[in-house]
Amino acid sequence: MVERVDPPMTADLDADVVGADAAAERRDEVVAAVTEHAGRVAHELARLQGGDYGQETFETDAGAWTLKYDAGDVQYLRFERGGSETYVVSTHQPPEPEALAAAMADYDAFVAAFNDHVRSLAGVLDDAPEDFPEVASVDDVVAERERVLSRIREACDRMAERLRRYEGGDYGSFAARVDSSRWELKWEEGRASYLRVGGEGGIYLLSQYQPPSAHDLRAHADGFAGFVEAFNAEIAAASDTLDDVSL
């Protein structure tokens, strides 16, 4: 008896498969051309918006185009229509050829929408004023602030030197409460590092970074005298304590 042998499963898979190389190559050519052209649009848009990065959406009869750019390069160009979107230009992956073809049918309308946008701004600044009021000088305010801060820093440096001698270290802090506000002087090697009012998140009257505003300085300048008095009282109390020690 002759055993029956069925044909292999691949017997019917000999049909030719059409290669996608041509379509992919043409798609890449179109995307490259659009990227270059949209890059010119992005350059003009960046100049118009005054920044290195941003985005803008332009409406056409067929849909909406969104151009996003960064440092003069197109990040993406997206076409939206009827709830679907196609990234004509993208840093991730190229679009499907069919979706690209549908989007490119409206590309001229996108460029026209951009051109209309630019033209709509023509003359918008014609009535903008060119003569402006004189700007007031801050010289007097800054000079007065520096004068007050200089006096405060001199006093704080003297306090820091006394604290260094009194506590016997190279750095430390002294804190006191004046009119319900906490004042803290931080010192290092006999010099004031900072003077802060109000605890964490408070106002730095002295700092290695920047001076306080004139309003903040005025609000707390009177309280500084109370802080110095609290310091003097602390030193006096310590001296009285040592006076009671006999050897």
Side-chain angles (χ1 to χ4, degrees):
M1 179 178 180
V2 179
E3 184 178 0
R4 177 183 176 183
V5 179
D6 293 331
M9 295 182 63
T10 59
D12 296 332
L13 300 181
D14 292 335
D16 291 338
V17 176
V18 178
D21 291 348
E25 183 177 352
R26 177 56 182 156
R27 185 267 317 278
D28 293 343
E29 291 175 354
V30 173
V31 169
V34 174
T35 301
E36 179 181 358
H37 189 271
R40 291 156 53 190
V41 178
H43 175 72
E44 296 301 322
L45 186 60
R47 293 180 59 203
L48 186 62
Q49 294 187 338
D52 290 333
Y53 57 90
Q55 68 178 47
E56 189 70 42
T57 298
F58 301 92
E59 302 286 343
T60 67
D61 291 340
W65 292 79
T66 299
L67 175 64
K68 183 176 182 180
Y69 60 91
D70 187 356
D73 294 329
V74 179
Q75 292 297 292
Y76 65 72
L77 177 63
R78 184 180 64 219
F79 176 60
E80 298 176 83
R81 178 176 60 180
S84 64
E85 58 184 28
T86 300
Y87 282 83
V88 177
V89 177
S90 171
T91 57
H92 298 293
Q93 65 182 36
E96 293 292 333
E98 185 176 357
L100 176 61
M104 290 307 298
D106 194 57
Y107 184 78
D108 286 353
F110 155 64
V111 178
F114 170 77
N115 291 340
D116 289 342
H117 175 65
V118 174
R119 294 189 189 99
S120 70
L121 298 175
V124 70
L125 295 175
D126 287 352
D127 296 330
E130 297 181 6
D131 296 325
F132 305 104
E134 192 69 27
V135 177
S137 172
V138 300
D139 289 349
D140 292 342
V141 176
V142 171
E144 186 62 13
R145 180 181 63 188
E146 292 305 313
R147 184 188 68 80
V148 175
L149 285 179
S150 177
R151 297 291 299 275
I152 292 177
R153 180 170 291 280
E154 288 176 5
C156 286
D157 283 345
R158 290 198 299 270
M159 294 165 66
E161 175 59 26
R162 286 161 175 74
L163 286 167
R164 183 185 67 82
R165 294 170 57 193
Y166 167 58
E167 296 187 358
D170 290 332
Y171 58 89
S173 64
F174 171 77
R177 191 163 292 278
V178 179
D179 296 333
S180 75
S181 294
R182 187 179 189 277
W183 289 64
E184 181 182 13
L185 169 66
K186 186 175 179 63
W187 55 273
E188 183 174 353
E189 296 183 350
R191 292 181 61 85
S193 295
Y194 70 70
L195 176 63
R196 183 177 64 198
V197 186
E200 293 292 337
I203 303 299
Y204 285 82
L205 296 185
L206 295 180
S207 167
Q208 59 179 321
Y209 299 108
Q210 63 184 31
S213 69
H215 288 294
D216 287 338
L217 179 59
R218 182 64 191 90
H220 298 289
D222 292 339
F224 181 67
F227 178 64
V228 176
E229 291 173 359
F231 170 82
N232 291 339
E234 174 81 9
I235 298 300
S239 298
D240 291 344
T241 299
L242 291 177
D243 287 343
D244 295 335
V245 176
S246 60
L247 300 176

